[in-house]
PDB file of all heavy atoms in Angstrom:
ATOM      1  N   ASP A 109     -15.793-116.964  55.427  1.00 98.00           N
ATOM      2  CA  ASP A 109     -16.509-116.309  54.266  1.00 98.00           C
ATOM      3  C   ASP A 109     -16.014-114.820  54.169  1.00 98.00           C
ATOM      4  O   ASP A 109     -15.847-114.301  53.002  1.00 98.00           O
ATOM      5  CB  ASP A 109     -18.036-116.209  54.643  1.00 98.00           C
ATOM      6  CG  ASP A 109     -18.875-117.579  54.368  1.00 98.00           C
ATOM      7  OD1 ASP A 109     -18.079-118.503  53.792  1.00 98.00           O
ATOM      8  OD2 ASP A 109     -19.995-117.675  54.429  1.00 98.00           O
ATOM      9  N   ALA A 110     -15.852-114.199  55.183  1.00 98.00           N
ATOM     10  CA  ALA A 110     -15.483-112.751  55.267  1.00 98.00           C
ATOM     11  C   ALA A 110     -14.111-112.523  54.612  1.00 98.00           C
ATOM     12  O   ALA A 110     -13.822-111.691  53.797  1.00 98.00           O
ATOM     13  CB  ALA A 110     -15.432-112.188  56.686  1.00 98.00           C
ATOM     14  N   LEU A 111     -13.113-113.500  54.909  1.00 98.00           N
ATOM     15  CA  LEU A 111     -11.845-113.433  54.267  1.00 98.00           C
ATOM     16  C   LEU A 111     -11.836-113.565  52.775  1.00 98.00           C
ATOM     17  O   LEU A 111     -11.222-112.785  52.088  1.00 98.00           O
ATOM     18  CB  LEU A 111     -10.864-114.320  55.021  1.00 98.00           C
ATOM     19  CG  LEU A 111      -9.414-114.286  54.482  1.00 98.00           C
ATOM     20  CD1 LEU A 111      -8.741-112.848  54.744  1.00 98.00           C
ATOM     21  CD2 LEU A 111      -8.623-115.358  55.209  1.00 98.00           C
ATOM     22  N   ARG A 112     -12.494-114.578  52.363  1.00 98.00           N
ATOM     23  CA  ARG A 112     -12.507-114.884  51.019  1.00 98.00           C
ATOM     24  C   ARG A 112     -13.174-113.693  50.260  1.00 98.00           C
ATOM     25  O   ARG A 112     -12.633-113.342  49.099  1.00 98.00           O
ATOM     26  CB  ARG A 112     -13.388-116.168  50.719  1.00 98.00           C
ATOM     27  CG  ARG A 112     -13.283-116.557  49.329  1.00 98.00           C
ATOM     28  CD  ARG A 112     -14.219-117.938  49.165  1.00 98.00           C
ATOM     29  NE  ARG A 112     -14.340-118.198  47.763  1.00 98.00           N
ATOM     30  CZ  ARG A 112     -15.608-118.641  47.279  1.00 98.00           C
ATOM     31  NH1 ARG A 112     -16.514-118.884  48.085  1.00 98.00           N
ATOM     32  NH2 ARG A 112     -15.725-118.845  45.993  1.00 98.00           N
ATOM     33  N   LEU A 113     -14.155-113.140  50.802  1.00 98.00           N
ATOM     34  CA  LEU A 113     -14.887-112.031  50.104  1.00 98.00           C
ATOM     35  C   LEU A 113     -14.006-110.776  50.097  1.00 98.00           C
ATOM     36  O   LEU A 113     -13.915-110.086  49.080  1.00 98.00           O
ATOM     37  CB  LEU A 113     -16.256-111.725  50.686  1.00 98.00           C
ATOM     38  CG  LEU A 113     -17.032-110.656  50.129  1.00 98.00           C
ATOM     39  CD1 LEU A 113     -17.346-111.025  48.570  1.00 98.00           C
ATOM     40  CD2 LEU A 113     -18.418-110.560  50.809  1.00 98.00           C
ATOM     41  N   ALA A 114     -13.385-110.444  51.265  1.00 98.00           N
ATOM     42  CA  ALA A 114     -12.527-109.221  51.305  1.00 98.00           C
ATOM     43  C   ALA A 114     -11.402-109.251  50.311  1.00 98.00           C
ATOM     44  O   ALA A 114     -11.024-108.409  49.621  1.00 98.00           O
ATOM     45  CB  ALA A 114     -11.931-109.200  52.712  1.00 98.00           C
ATOM     46  N   LEU A 115     -10.709-110.386  50.146  1.00 97.00           N
ATOM     47  CA  LEU A 115      -9.670-110.624  49.239  1.00 97.00           C
ATOM     48  C   LEU A 115     -10.134-110.498  47.713  1.00 97.00           C
ATOM     49  O   LEU A 115      -9.407-109.860  46.943  1.00 97.00           O
ATOM     50  CB  LEU A 115      -8.871-111.971  49.436  1.00 97.00           C
ATOM     51  CG  LEU A 115      -8.188-112.143  50.806  1.00 97.00           C
ATOM     52  CD1 LEU A 115      -7.786-113.553  50.856  1.00 97.00           C
ATOM     53  CD2 LEU A 115      -7.109-111.136  50.950  1.00 97.00           C
ATOM     54  N   ALA A 116     -11.224-111.067  47.539  1.00 97.00           N
ATOM     55  CA  ALA A 116     -11.791-110.965  46.116  1.00 97.00           C
ATOM     56  C   ALA A 116     -12.295-109.556  45.677  1.00 97.00           C
ATOM     57  O   ALA A 116     -11.903-109.051  44.616  1.00 97.00           O
ATOM     58  CB  ALA A 116     -13.000-111.791  45.944  1.00 97.00           C
ATOM     59  N   VAL A 117     -12.879-108.866  46.692  1.00 98.00           N
ATOM     60  CA  VAL A 117     -13.190-107.453  46.426  1.00 98.00           C
ATOM     61  C   VAL A 117     -11.942-106.492  46.320  1.00 98.00           C
ATOM     62  O   VAL A 117     -11.864-105.688  45.544  1.00 98.00           O
ATOM     63  CB  VAL A 117     -14.090-106.833  47.561  1.00 98.00           C
ATOM     64  CG1 VAL A 117     -14.293-105.422  47.455  1.00 98.00           C
ATOM     65  CG2 VAL A 117     -15.513-107.630  47.592  1.00 98.00           C
ATOM     66  N   GLY A 118     -10.900-106.906  47.163  1.00 97.00           N
ATOM     67  CA  GLY A 118      -9.812-106.089  47.098  1.00 97.00           C
ATOM     68  C   GLY A 118      -9.010-106.182  45.752  1.00 97.00           C
ATOM     69  O   GLY A 118      -8.492-105.092  45.290  1.00 97.00           O
ATOM     70  N   GLU A 119      -8.987-107.371  45.169  1.00 96.00           N
ATOM     71  CA  GLU A 119      -8.422-107.515  43.913  1.00 96.00           C
ATOM     72  C   GLU A 119      -9.048-106.565  42.860  1.00 96.00           C
ATOM     73  O   GLU A 119      -8.439-105.926  42.090  1.00 96.00           O
ATOM     74  CB  GLU A 119      -8.692-108.965  43.428  1.00 96.00           C
ATOM     75  CG  GLU A 119      -7.821-109.525  42.383  1.00 96.00           C
ATOM     76  CD  GLU A 119      -6.610-110.351  42.921  1.00 96.00           C
ATOM     77  OE1 GLU A 119      -6.091-110.207  44.010  1.00 96.00           O
ATOM     78  OE2 GLU A 119      -6.349-111.272  42.114  1.00 96.00           O
ATOM     79  N   LEU A 120     -10.333-106.564  42.959  1.00 96.00           N
ATOM     80  CA  LEU A 120     -11.146-105.686  41.922  1.00 96.00           C
ATOM     81  C   LEU A 120     -11.030-104.290  42.227  1.00 96.00           C
ATOM     82  O   LEU A 120     -10.922-103.491  41.332  1.00 96.00           O
ATOM     83  CB  LEU A 120     -12.647-106.039  42.117  1.00 96.00           C
ATOM     84  CG  LEU A 120     -13.057-107.593  41.677  1.00 96.00           C
ATOM     85  CD1 LEU A 120     -14.395-107.966  42.125  1.00 96.00           C
ATOM     86  CD2 LEU A 120     -12.860-107.668  40.201  1.00 96.00           C
ATOM     87  N   LEU A 121     -10.885-103.821  43.465  1.00 96.00           N
ATOM     88  CA  LEU A 121     -10.735-102.445  43.801  1.00 96.00           C
ATOM     89  C   LEU A 121      -9.380-101.934  43.392  1.00 96.00           C
ATOM     90  O   LEU A 121      -9.210-100.737  42.905  1.00 96.00           O
ATOM     91  CB  LEU A 121     -10.918-102.252  45.415  1.00 96.00           C
ATOM     92  CG  LEU A 121     -12.382-102.277  45.766  1.00 96.00           C
ATOM     93  CD1 LEU A 121     -12.389-102.045  47.404  1.00 96.00           C
ATOM     94  CD2 LEU A 121     -13.343-101.406  45.186  1.00 96.00           C
ATOM     95  N   GLN A 122      -8.387-102.875  43.505  1.00 94.00           N
ATOM     96  CA  GLN A 122      -7.033-102.429  43.109  1.00 94.00           C
ATOM     97  C   GLN A 122      -7.063-102.137  41.460  1.00 94.00           C
ATOM     98  O   GLN A 122      -6.520-101.272  41.114  1.00 94.00           O
ATOM     99  CB  GLN A 122      -6.050-103.639  43.368  1.00 94.00           C
ATOM    100  CG  GLN A 122      -4.738-103.191  43.541  1.00 94.00           C
ATOM    101  CD  GLN A 122      -4.071-103.949  44.742  1.00 94.00           C
ATOM    102  OE1 GLN A 122      -4.561-105.032  45.211  1.00 94.00           O
ATOM    103  NE2 GLN A 122      -3.004-103.454  45.237  1.00 94.00           N
ATOM    104  N   LYS A 123      -7.690-102.964  40.803  1.00 91.00           N
ATOM    105  CA  LYS A 123      -7.934-102.831  39.398  1.00 91.00           C
ATOM    106  C   LYS A 123      -8.624-101.511  39.141  1.00 91.00           C
ATOM    107  O   LYS A 123      -8.500-100.860  38.081  1.00 91.00           O
ATOM    108  CB  LYS A 123      -8.631-103.982  38.753  1.00 91.00           C
ATOM    109  CG  LYS A 123      -7.755-105.256  38.609  1.00 91.00           C
ATOM    110  CD  LYS A 123      -8.518-106.316  37.942  1.00 91.00           C
ATOM    111  CE  LYS A 123      -7.731-107.671  37.989  1.00 91.00           C
ATOM    112  NZ  LYS A 123      -8.599-108.814  38.015  1.00 91.00           N
ATOM    113  N   GLY A 124      -9.466-101.148  40.047  1.00 91.00           N
ATOM    114  CA  GLY A 124     -10.405 -99.952  39.885  1.00 91.00           C
ATOM    115  C   GLY A 124      -9.615 -98.648  40.213  1.00 91.00           C
ATOM    116  O   GLY A 124     -10.252 -97.661  40.218  1.00 91.00           O
ATOM    117  N   GLY A 125      -8.353 -98.872  40.668  1.00 91.00           N
ATOM    118  CA  GLY A 125      -7.512 -97.683  40.871  1.00 91.00           C
ATOM    119  C   GLY A 125      -7.437 -97.275  42.389  1.00 91.00           C
ATOM    120  O   GLY A 125      -6.684 -96.341  42.617  1.00 91.00           O
ATOM    121  N   LEU A 126      -7.928 -98.058  43.306  1.00 95.00           N
ATOM    122  CA  LEU A 126      -7.665 -97.883  44.667  1.00 95.00           C
ATOM    123  C   LEU A 126      -6.433 -98.430  45.221  1.00 95.00           C
ATOM    124  O   LEU A 126      -5.919 -99.451  44.694  1.00 95.00           O
ATOM    125  CB  LEU A 126      -8.849 -98.304  45.469  1.00 95.00           C
ATOM    126  CG  LEU A 126     -10.183 -97.481  45.352  1.00 95.00           C
ATOM    127  CD1 LEU A 126     -11.275 -98.117  46.086  1.00 95.00           C
ATOM    128  CD2 LEU A 126     -10.000 -96.045  45.704  1.00 95.00           C
ATOM    129  N   ASP A 127      -5.821 -97.872  46.203  1.00 95.00           N
ATOM    130  CA  ASP A 127      -4.748 -98.401  46.941  1.00 95.00           C
ATOM    131  C   ASP A 127      -5.271 -99.362  48.078  1.00 95.00           C
ATOM    132  O   ASP A 127      -5.942 -98.867  48.992  1.00 95.00           O
ATOM    133  CB  ASP A 127      -3.900 -97.241  47.504  1.00 95.00           C
ATOM    134  CG  ASP A 127      -2.759 -97.771  48.289  1.00 95.00           C
ATOM    135  OD1 ASP A 127      -2.427 -98.928  48.381  1.00 95.00           O
ATOM    136  OD2 ASP A 127      -2.016 -96.847  48.930  1.00 95.00           O
ATOM    137  N   VAL A 128      -5.192-100.646  47.859  1.00 96.00           N
ATOM    138  CA  VAL A 128      -5.999-101.575  48.746  1.00 96.00           C
ATOM    139  C   VAL A 128      -5.043-102.102  49.912  1.00 96.00           C
ATOM    140  O   VAL A 128      -3.982-102.582  49.695  1.00 96.00           O
ATOM    141  CB  VAL A 128      -6.585-102.712  47.942  1.00 96.00           C
ATOM    142  CG1 VAL A 128      -7.238-103.720  48.934  1.00 96.00           C
ATOM    143  CG2 VAL A 128      -7.596-102.145  46.934  1.00 96.00           C
ATOM    144  N   MET A 129      -5.471-102.071  51.121  1.00 96.00           N
ATOM    145  CA  MET A 129      -4.861-102.642  52.248  1.00 96.00           C
ATOM    146  C   MET A 129      -5.685-103.629  53.071  1.00 96.00           C
ATOM    147  O   MET A 129      -6.962-103.438  53.065  1.00 96.00           O
ATOM    148  CB  MET A 129      -4.555-101.458  53.212  1.00 96.00           C
ATOM    149  CG  MET A 129      -3.113-101.226  53.519  1.00 96.00           C
ATOM    150  SD  MET A 129      -3.081 -99.977  54.772  1.00 96.00           S
ATOM    151  CE  MET A 129      -3.565-100.883  56.273  1.00 96.00           C
ATOM    152  N   TYR A 130      -5.199-104.669  53.666  1.00 97.00           N
ATOM    153  CA  TYR A 130      -6.017-105.544  54.284  1.00 97.00           C
ATOM    154  C   TYR A 130      -5.667-105.580  55.838  1.00 97.00           C
ATOM    155  O   TYR A 130      -4.483-105.407  56.115  1.00 97.00           O
ATOM    156  CB  TYR A 130      -5.881-106.945  53.829  1.00 97.00           C
ATOM    157  CG  TYR A 130      -6.070-107.090  52.338  1.00 97.00           C
ATOM    158  CD1 TYR A 130      -5.163-106.994  51.459  1.00 97.00           C
ATOM    159  CD2 TYR A 130      -7.428-107.311  51.950  1.00 97.00           C
ATOM    160  CE1 TYR A 130      -5.441-107.055  50.083  1.00 97.00           C
ATOM    161  CE2 TYR A 130      -7.671-107.428  50.551  1.00 97.00           C
ATOM    162  CZ  TYR A 130      -6.836-107.389  49.645  1.00 97.00           C
ATOM    163  OH  TYR A 130      -6.887-107.566  48.360  1.00 97.00           O
ATOM    164  N   THR A 131      -6.617-105.732  56.833  1.00 96.00           N
ATOM    165  CA  THR A 131      -6.225-105.871  58.217  1.00 96.00           C
ATOM    166  C   THR A 131      -5.742-107.317  58.401  1.00 96.00           C
ATOM    167  O   THR A 131      -5.100-107.586  59.361  1.00 96.00           O
ATOM    168  CB  THR A 131      -7.479-105.626  59.126  1.00 96.00           C
ATOM    169  OG1 THR A 131      -8.543-106.509  58.724  1.00 96.00           O
ATOM    170  CG2 THR A 131      -7.891-104.243  59.017  1.00 96.00           C
ATOM    171  N   ARG A 132      -6.263-108.216  57.569  1.00 96.00           N
ATOM    172  CA  ARG A 132      -5.630-109.578  57.743  1.00 96.00           C
ATOM    173  C   ARG A 132      -5.797-110.284  56.247  1.00 96.00           C
ATOM    174  O   ARG A 132      -6.705-110.026  55.573  1.00 96.00           O
ATOM    175  CB  ARG A 132      -6.369-110.477  58.699  1.00 96.00           C
ATOM    176  CG  ARG A 132      -7.699-110.827  58.469  1.00 96.00           C
ATOM    177  CD  ARG A 132      -8.360-111.669  59.691  1.00 96.00           C
ATOM    178  NE  ARG A 132      -9.797-112.008  59.517  1.00 96.00           N
ATOM    179  CZ  ARG A 132     -10.218-113.156  59.040  1.00 96.00           C
ATOM    180  NH1 ARG A 132      -9.344-114.172  58.722  1.00 96.00           N
ATOM    181  NH2 ARG A 132     -11.498-113.435  58.892  1.00 96.00           N
ATOM    182  N   THR A 133      -4.869-111.197  56.059  1.00 96.00           N
ATOM    183  CA  THR A 133      -4.950-111.928  54.718  1.00 96.00           C
ATOM    184  C   THR A 133      -4.861-113.369  55.041  1.00 96.00           C
ATOM    185  O   THR A 133      -4.819-114.268  54.128  1.00 96.00           O
ATOM    186  CB  THR A 133      -3.781-111.661  53.919  1.00 96.00           C
ATOM    187  OG1 THR A 133      -2.563-111.820  54.595  1.00 96.00           O
ATOM    188  CG2 THR A 133      -3.790-110.139  53.429  1.00 96.00           C
ATOM    189  N   GLU A 134      -4.964-113.795  56.325  1.00 96.00           N
ATOM    190  CA  GLU A 134      -4.773-115.124  56.852  1.00 96.00           C
ATOM    191  C   GLU A 134      -5.837-115.261  57.949  1.00 96.00           C
ATOM    192  O   GLU A 134      -6.465-114.292  58.375  1.00 96.00           O
ATOM    193  CB  GLU A 134      -3.337-115.384  57.389  1.00 96.00           C
ATOM    194  CG  GLU A 134      -2.291-115.028  56.450  1.00 96.00           C
ATOM    195  CD  GLU A 134      -2.002-116.305  55.625  1.00 96.00           C
ATOM    196  OE1 GLU A 134      -2.125-117.482  56.097  1.00 96.00           O
ATOM    197  OE2 GLU A 134      -1.804-116.154  54.276  1.00 96.00           O
ATOM    198  N   ASP A 135      -5.844-116.492  58.479  1.00 97.00           N
ATOM    199  CA  ASP A 135      -6.739-116.791  59.597  1.00 97.00           C
ATOM    200  C   ASP A 135      -6.092-116.356  60.801  1.00 97.00           C
ATOM    201  O   ASP A 135      -5.702-117.254  61.701  1.00 97.00           O
ATOM    202  CB  ASP A 135      -7.072-118.225  59.519  1.00 97.00           C
ATOM    203  CG  ASP A 135      -8.121-118.671  60.600  1.00 97.00           C
ATOM    204  OD1 ASP A 135      -8.850-117.676  61.071  1.00 97.00           O
ATOM    205  OD2 ASP A 135      -8.330-119.865  60.867  1.00 97.00           O
ATOM    206  N   VAL A 136      -5.984-115.177  61.178  1.00 96.00           N
ATOM    207  CA  VAL A 136      -5.366-114.660  62.542  1.00 96.00           C
ATOM    208  C   VAL A 136      -6.410-113.752  63.223  1.00 96.00           C
ATOM    209  O   VAL A 136      -7.340-113.181  62.605  1.00 96.00           O
ATOM    210  CB  VAL A 136      -4.106-113.905  62.237  1.00 96.00           C
ATOM    211  CG1 VAL A 136      -3.044-114.780  61.659  1.00 96.00           C
ATOM    212  CG2 VAL A 136      -4.435-112.604  61.208  1.00 96.00           C
ATOM    213  N   TYR A 137      -6.257-113.581  64.523  1.00 96.00           N
ATOM    214  CA  TYR A 137      -6.968-112.802  65.251  1.00 96.00           C
ATOM    215  C   TYR A 137      -6.413-111.523  65.618  1.00 96.00           C
ATOM    216  O   TYR A 137      -5.250-111.518  66.181  1.00 96.00           O
ATOM    217  CB  TYR A 137      -7.544-113.396  66.603  1.00 96.00           C
ATOM    218  CG  TYR A 137      -8.455-112.605  67.361  1.00 96.00           C
ATOM    219  CD1 TYR A 137      -9.759-112.363  67.135  1.00 96.00           C
ATOM    220  CD2 TYR A 137      -7.893-111.932  68.536  1.00 96.00           C
ATOM    221  CE1 TYR A 137     -10.569-111.617  67.843  1.00 96.00           C
ATOM    222  CE2 TYR A 137      -8.730-111.194  69.350  1.00 96.00           C
ATOM    223  CZ  TYR A 137     -10.014-110.926  68.912  1.00 96.00           C
ATOM    224  OH  TYR A 137     -10.876-110.141  69.734  1.00 96.00           O
ATOM    225  N   ASP A 138      -7.058-110.330  65.489  1.00 95.00           N
ATOM    226  CA  ASP A 138      -6.709-109.051  66.006  1.00 95.00           C
ATOM    227  C   ASP A 138      -7.967-108.482  66.519  1.00 95.00           C
ATOM    228  O   ASP A 138      -9.180-108.860  66.020  1.00 95.00           O
ATOM    229  CB  ASP A 138      -6.017-108.223  65.073  1.00 95.00           C
ATOM    230  CG  ASP A 138      -4.650-108.591  64.738  1.00 95.00           C
ATOM    231  OD1 ASP A 138      -3.850-108.445  65.621  1.00 95.00           O
ATOM    232  OD2 ASP A 138      -4.447-108.838  63.544  1.00 95.00           O
ATOM    233  N   THR A 139      -7.967-107.701  67.690  1.00 96.00           N
ATOM    234  CA  THR A 139      -9.162-107.092  68.165  1.00 96.00           C
ATOM    235  C   THR A 139      -9.676-106.043  67.192  1.00 96.00           C
ATOM    236  O   THR A 139      -8.854-105.573  66.339  1.00 96.00           O
ATOM    237  CB  THR A 139      -8.869-106.476  69.497  1.00 96.00           C
ATOM    238  OG1 THR A 139      -8.046-105.275  69.234  1.00 96.00           O
ATOM    239  CG2 THR A 139      -8.294-107.321  70.552  1.00 96.00           C
ATOM    240  N   PRO A 140     -10.975-105.753  67.156  1.00 96.00           N
ATOM    241  CA  PRO A 140     -11.609-104.678  66.433  1.00 96.00           C
ATOM    242  C   PRO A 140     -10.775-103.419  66.608  1.00 96.00           C
ATOM    243  O   PRO A 140     -10.558-102.645  65.665  1.00 96.00           O
ATOM    244  CB  PRO A 140     -13.052-104.685  66.773  1.00 96.00           C
ATOM    245  CG  PRO A 140     -13.421-106.081  67.310  1.00 96.00           C
ATOM    246  CD  PRO A 140     -12.071-106.535  67.942  1.00 96.00           C
TER     247      PRO A 140
END
Side-chain angles (χ1 to χ4, degrees):
D109 280 2
L111 180 58
R112 184 174 169 225
L113 186 56
L115 294 175
V117 171
E119 198 105 327
L120 295 165
L121 289 179
Q122 210 140 15
K123 285 182 192 152
L126 289 176
D127 178 6
V128 177
M129 237 186 80
Y130 304 94
T131 57
R132 70 180 177 101
T133 57
E134 301 276 322
D135 185 18
V136 293
Y137 179 76
D138 285 296
T139 65

